[in-house]
Amino acid sequence: MRTRIIAGNWKMNSNPGQAKVLASEIVVDCAAIRAVESGVTVVLCPPYTSLEVTINLLSGTGLHVGGQNCHHEPQGAYTGEISAEVLAAIGCSYVIVGHSERRRDQNETDSLIGKKAERATASGLTPIICIGETLQERQEGVTMEVIQRQISEIVKAAGRDVVCGSVIAYEPVWAIGTGLAATPEQAQEVHSFIRKSLVDIGAVGVSLLYGGSVTETNAAELFTCQDIDGALVGGASLRSSSFASIISAASGQSAR
Ligand code: PGA
C-alpha cells in the first residue's frame, strides 16, 4: 500500500551525542508525532555508530530508524561492512540501498543493489532503493532509459516480490546536495514513469520518494504531485526545524 514516508539521510554527519540532540529535537517538535498519528511514516537514518542512541531515543514514539547501507551477504569475512541482520537485530526497520554516493564511491551496481535489497528484506528490513540519472544522462536525453535499466536490473537481481515490498527513491544525481531540486514537473514525469514500470511487473502500491535538495520551501509543492509519496531528505534533515516542516508538509499540516 502506498504510504507517505519522510526519511532523513544524515549521511556521515552526527556522532552519538549530536544524534541524541537532533533526534530529541525531532521528537520534541510535535510535527513528527502528529504526522505519525496521521499515517505518515518517519524514518531517521543516522551513521552506524549513532544508530543505537537514536533507536533508544525514538522507542515508543512511532518513528523508525534505518541504516544507510547493508552488505548483500548475511555475515562473513567482509571487513568494515555491516549486515542487514545486525541492523534488524538492534532495532532498525529500514535500510537505504544504492544511494548514488555509494554507486559513485564504492562502484555499486544495480545487480549488487538488488542483492542488498533481497538480503534486507530477508532480514525483516524494508529497503529504500535509490535510483536516478546523472546530469550528463539528463542532458543526453536518456533519463527514462537509465531509470528503466536500473529498475530492470534491480528486479532481476532482487526478484519481483522484494521490489513489491520496497520503497523506491528517485534521486536525480544532479539534484543531490546541489540546492538544485528537480521541479515538480520534472520529478512527476519520472515518478509516473517509475510507477508505470512497476505496475507493468505487477508491483502496485510501492511508495515512491523524491530525493535531491528537498527543503521546507519546495516540499509542499513536490508532495502535491500525483506519484510522489514522500521524500528522502539529506541536508535539510540535519536541522530539526526544516525536517519538521517537511514532515508537516507531507501530512498536510501547516508548519508551526
Ligand atoms: P540532499 O540529499 O537532500 O542533501 O540533496 C538527498 C540524498 O542524498 O538522499
Side-chain angles (χ1 to χ4, degrees):
M1 199 185 67
R2 282 171 69 178
T3 45
R4 286 252 181 231
I5 302 174
I6 303 297
N9 175 11
W10 294 2
K11 308 193 180 185
M12 202 172 71
N13 298 293
S14 80
N15 63 33
Q18 293 164 329
K20 202 169 170 182
V21 172
L22 182 52
S24 313
E25 285 173 2
I26 291 166
V27 170
V28 167
D29 188 310
C30 302
I33 305 295
R34 279 206 306 268
V36 168
E37 283 167 2
S38 73
V40 178
T41 299
V42 178
V43 189
L44 306 185
C45 302
Y48 300 130
T49 45
S50 295
L51 283 171
E52 244 174 329
V53 70
T54 308
I55 288 163
N56 291 338
L57 220 134
L58 297 187
S59 163
T61 63
L63 276 69
H64 297 270
V65 178
Q68 297 177 12
N69 170 50
C70 67
H71 199 267
H72 64 284
E73 293 290 348
Q75 76 270 311
Y78 302 103
T79 303
E81 291 289 341
I82 188 106
S83 71
E85 275 72 5
V86 165
L87 294 175
I90 64 164
C92 290
S93 36
Y94 287 81
V95 65
I96 299 169
V97 294
H99 192 281
S100 64
E101 286 153 12
R102 293 194 59 85
R103 289 173 181 264
R104 179 194 67 202
D105 299 338
Q106 273 75 34
N107 298 317
E108 292 196 359
T109 61
D110 292 307
S111 140
L112 178 71
I113 291 158
K115 286 187 203 156
K116 287 179 182 225
E118 185 185 19
R119 175 46 52 197
T121 304
S123 309
L125 301 173
T126 301
I128 301 175
I129 304 172
C130 301
I131 57 176
E133 81 287 4
T134 62
L135 180 61
Q136 192 185 341
E137 288 162 341
R138 176 158 284 264
Q139 287 170 340
E140 286 170 1
V142 294
T143 298
M144 302 310 178
E145 280 99 310
V146 170
I147 297 293
Q148 185 58 64
R149 190 186 64 232
Q150 290 175 334
I151 294 174
S152 302
E153 288 183 18
I154 288 167
V155 170
K156 198 162 130 203
R160 196 189 69 98
D161 289 352
V162 165
V163 174
C164 285
S166 298
V167 173
I168 308 266
Y170 166 58
E171 298 208 307
V173 178
W174 47 271
I176 295 177
T178 57
L180 197 78
T183 63
E185 294 71 28
Q186 286 173 320
Q188 169 57 26
E189 185 187 20
V190 181
H191 275 244
S192 143
F193 179 82
I194 296 169
R195 178 86 60 211
K196 192 177 168 307
S197 304
L198 292 175
V199 168
D200 284 350
I201 58 156
V204 287
V206 175
S207 292
L208 302 185
L209 313 185
Y210 168 76
S213 297
V214 175
T215 64
E216 62 271 45
T217 314
N218 59 20
E221 208 187 346
L222 285 162
F223 298 155
T224 60
C225 298
Q226 201 187 334
D227 290 299
I228 298 183
D229 299 314
L232 179 55
V233 187
S237 72
L238 295 171
R239 296 183 305 276
S240 57
S241 58
S242 321
F243 195 57
S245 299
I246 294 167
I247 293 170
S248 293
S251 60
Q253 299 166 350
S254 54
R256 289 190 317 144

